[in-house]
């Protein structure tokens, strides 16, 4: 009995030492964070600064709804200290991949958790799933950043103050962005406040900044639009005083349909960013500034 207790103590001590060792080595090195897509990567980078190395699974310019991971991504996840996904069914299919490749004690946070979801529009009597693109409303982006900050602080308490300072500075920048969006988009006449897009991505932006969204019938870019819905949108766009439709750079087949719609309706095609950063817009703030200028040019 005595011997057993002693051995247990020894094992317990070793586990404690191991825990201490791994905690201290974590504090001594850059934290490895893996996010599902580039916009979350930017949020983590803004808060984590020099103390984090962040990778996104879905590469720049790819469509996060349909992208498939490869062994390279499993390798990144295996080395991660923290995993960040959007949630709200946006990147659900990546969660099992992340959970199975991650270390046993690595937490996976959903940046949109706790935020209220907007129901999608109703077509022909049935309502589709909600829109998962919460980040396109800046107050939601602030909530994402707060959640990410909390997760980084829990992971590395030694660096909590550093993360808090970065987050405060960045959140201030986000509120300034929100103010600019609200003030400048208010200049668009009410009759032009319609955004016609390929997939249902802009309902949070629309709600925050006073637009009426008419999404282009596919909730998920994997789906093909049906001709009746296309016809309905042609009629709607024709009636606009300044006919404009919007495509998104990551959607190849969607762009084809948007161009066909524009041609039928005599509308001009503009590009809005929704699901991915790019070389041209490498940060969330730049992406939203870009979208602001496009909306003004298209609709004012
Ligand atoms: Zn999307």
């Amino acid at each position: 009995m005595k011997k057993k207790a002693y051995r247990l103590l020894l094992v317990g001590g070793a586990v404690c030492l191991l825990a201490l060792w791994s905690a201290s080595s974590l504090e001594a090195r850059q934290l490895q964070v893996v996010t599902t897509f580039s916009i979350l990567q930017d949020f983590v980078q803004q808060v984590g600064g020099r103390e984090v190395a962040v990778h996104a699974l879905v590469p720049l310019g790819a469509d996060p709804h349909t992208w498939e991971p490869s062994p390279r991504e499993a390798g990144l996840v295996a080395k991660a200290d923290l995993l960040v996904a959007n949630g709200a069914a946006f990147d659900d299919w990546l969660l099992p991949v992340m959970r199975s490749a991650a270390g046993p004690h690595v937490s996976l946070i959903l940046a949109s958790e706790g935020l209220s979801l907007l129901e999608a529009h109703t077509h022909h009597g049935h309502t589709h799933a909600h829109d998962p693109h919460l980040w396109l409303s800046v107050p939601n982006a602030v909530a994402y950043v707060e959640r990410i900050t909390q997760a980084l602080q829990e992971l590395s308490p030694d660096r909590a103050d550093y993360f808090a300072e970065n987050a405060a500075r960045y959140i201030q920048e986000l509120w300034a962005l929100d103010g600019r969006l609200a003030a400048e988009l208010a200049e668009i006449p009410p009759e032009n406040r319609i955004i016609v897009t390929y997939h249902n991505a802009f309902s949070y932006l629309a709600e925050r900044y006073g637009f009426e969204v008419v999404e282009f019938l596919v909730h998920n870019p994997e789906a093909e639009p049906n001709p009746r819905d296309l016809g309905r949108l042609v009629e709607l766009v024709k009636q606009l005083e300044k006919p404009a439709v919007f495509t998104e750079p990551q959607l190849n087949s969607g762009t084809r349909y948007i161009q066909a719609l524009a041609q039928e309706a005599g509308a001009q095609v503009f590009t809005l960013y929704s699901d991915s950063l790019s070389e041209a817009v490498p940060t969330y703030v730049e992406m939203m500034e870009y979208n602001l200028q496009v909306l003004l040019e298209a609709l004012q």
Side-chain angles (χ1 to χ4, degrees):
M1 244 350 241
K2 241 182 186 171
K3 208 170 174 187
K4 216 171 177 182
Y6 174 73
R7 211 186 290 158
L8 224 108
L9 208 75
L10 210 69
V11 171
V15 168
C16 277
L17 273 176
L18 200 70
L20 273 174
W21 176 79
S22 70
S24 70
S25 72
L26 187 91
E27 295 292 2
R29 60 172 171 77
Q30 265 191 329
L31 304 175
Q32 303 292 313
V33 184
V34 172
T35 68
T36 47
F37 68 114
S38 53
I39 292 165
L40 296 179
Q41 180 183 16
D42 181 41
F43 292 156
V44 176
Q45 193 64 68
Q46 299 291 341
V47 177
R50 59 167 194 268
E51 299 297 322
V52 300
V54 203
H55 297 278
L57 295 181
V58 180
L60 281 189
D63 175 8
H65 295 268
T66 53
W67 176 85
E68 303 265 352
S70 73
R72 183 192 81 94
E73 283 78 36
L76 286 174
V77 171
K79 279 185 270 179
D81 301 307
L82 176 69
L83 304 169
V84 185
N86 183 70
F90 178 72
D91 40 18
D92 270 11
W93 85 109
L94 279 170
L95 305 186
V97 179
M98 288 174 109
R99 286 204 179 97
S100 68
H105 304 297
V106 173
S107 40
L108 167 65
I109 65 157
L110 302 179
S112 72
E113 203 168 79
L115 293 171
S116 48
L117 298 174
L118 287 178
E119 280 304 316
H121 303 258
T122 303
H123 291 294
H124 315 296
H126 63 280
T127 304
H128 294 272
H130 60 258
D131 176 356
H133 306 76
L134 289 94
W135 63 88
L136 292 173
S137 156
V138 179
N140 283 343
V142 170
Y144 278 34
V145 169
E146 286 168 343
R147 185 151 175 70
I148 287 166
T149 305
Q150 193 192 352
L152 287 172
Q153 288 175 324
E154 279 166 18
L155 182 64
S156 178
D158 284 9
R159 287 177 268 214
D161 291 346
Y162 173 73
F163 295 144
E165 273 168 39
N166 286 350
R169 190 174 341 111
Y170 185 52
I171 286 171
Q172 204 173 14
E173 202 185 320
L174 291 178
W175 285 123
L177 171 71
D178 183 57
R180 280 197 302 283
L181 284 164
E184 296 193 33
L185 293 174
E187 307 282 312
I188 295 172
E191 63 274 19
N192 290 358
R193 295 178 156 271
I194 294 179
I195 304 176
V196 178
T197 61
Y198 181 66
H199 90 303
N200 180 31
F202 294 94
S203 61
Y204 297 91
L205 181 138
E207 190 206 41
R208 177 66 181 171
Y209 307 107
F211 288 86
E212 183 187 333
V213 160
V214 183
E215 90 271 18
F216 190 55
L217 312 186
V218 291
H219 270 279
N220 193 307
E222 279 172 280
E224 295 273 310
N226 79 47
R228 201 171 52 169
D229 290 335
L230 183 59
R232 181 181 64 85
L233 274 189
V234 168
E235 289 314 307
L236 188 139
V237 173
K238 269 185 183 166
Q239 284 160 23
L240 299 178
E241 195 200 316
K242 206 181 160 194
V245 293
F246 299 90
T247 183
E248 297 149 66
Q250 82 281 7
L251 302 175
N252 299 325
S253 68
T255 299
R256 247 185 20 240
Y257 287 110
I258 283 288
Q259 278 161 349
L261 168 64
Q263 201 161 16
E264 280 286 303
Q268 222 184 320
V269 180
F270 295 88
T271 300
L272 287 175
Y273 283 88
S274 55
D275 292 348
S276 179
L277 300 176
S278 73
E279 311 236 315
V281 293
T283 67
Y284 172 79
V285 171
E286 286 166 284
M287 175 184 96
M288 295 303 278
E289 295 276 8
Y290 178 94
N291 284 348
L292 167 62
Q293 294 312 319
V294 169
L295 288 168
L296 291 175
E297 192 193 329
L299 303 175
Q300 201 171 19

